[in-house]
Amino acid sequence: MKTRTRVLTGTAVAVALGAGAFGAVSANAAPASAPAAAPAAVAKKDGDKKNFTTTTHLTIDAATRAAQAALDAAEQENQKVTVAVVDRNGNTIVTLRGDGAGPQSYESAQRKAYTAVSWNAPTSVLAGRLAQAPNLKDIPGTLFLGGGTPVQADGAPVAGIGVAGAPSGDLDEKFAKAGVDALAK
């Protein structure tokens, strides 16, 4: 029986080694030639306005100036806040977290900025609309508290500034407006 056990064990080891060697050879084998990639589609840009649109975006420099102006306005009133600036699509351009700002202020500032640019209105105005449309608050990423202000170019929203951390939404919004005003200079 010991001989039989040795033979079975030896056979199992040989099969395992053989499978490993086969796998190693297969893994090192030359790959089959890949199919040729399809050429990229090219849309006409010149003379074909129906395929393209032009949008206005804040530069990183402008977004940083606006955020810093909002943060400075808050610091002048001894408020510890976070300021977020988002683009027209709600993507964060810059966030400045002031010294001592609470941990909740980071996300709140971003959500206020997103809400303001999404509806092209200050979040304090939008908060008032919840009485008529309470389901607005269920839209992901939004926050209907004062402190968010849209940035406009030719009346259209191009960015949003959100401030969070002051004891009231009115103060947060005042600081966000200071950020918008800095862009006019």
Side-chain angles (χ1 to χ4, degrees), residues 110-159:
Q110 289 177 326
R111 290 175 59 191
K112 288 178 183 184
Y114 173 79
T115 304
V117 74
S118 295
W119 278 276
N120 194 23
T123 53
S124 61
V125 171
L126 297 170
R129 295 182 189 170
L130 288 178
Q132 294 85 19
N135 291 345
L136 281 178
K137 69 181 180 329
D138 297 333
I139 297 172
T142 59
L143 187 58
F144 293 89
L145 297 174
T149 304
V151 177
Q152 298 177 347
D154 298 324
V158 296

Side-chain angles (χ1 to χ4, degrees), residues 72-89:
D72 290 346
E75 287 176 349
Q76 286 177 352
E77 296 191 28
N78 294 318
Q79 298 301 316
K80 299 169 183 342
V81 301
T82 297
V83 181
V85 180
V86 301
D87 67 13
R88 175 62 183 113
N89 299 321

Side-chain angles (χ1 to χ4, degrees), residues 7 34 41 43 50-51 74 92 94 99 135 143 163:
V7 170
K50 66 183 176 190
N51 288 332
T92 302
V94 65
D99 294 335
N135 291 345
L143 187 58
V163 177

Side-chain angles (χ1 to χ4, degrees), residues 32-72:
S33 61
V42 178
K44 292 185 337 185
K45 183 173 181 181
D46 296 327
D48 190 4
K49 302 294 183 196
K50 66 183 176 190
N51 288 332
F52 298 95
T53 185
T54 302
T55 60
T56 303
H57 294 276
L58 288 182
T59 64
I60 185 70
D61 179 56
T64 302
R65 277 186 293 124
Q68 188 64 56
L71 188 60
D72 290 346

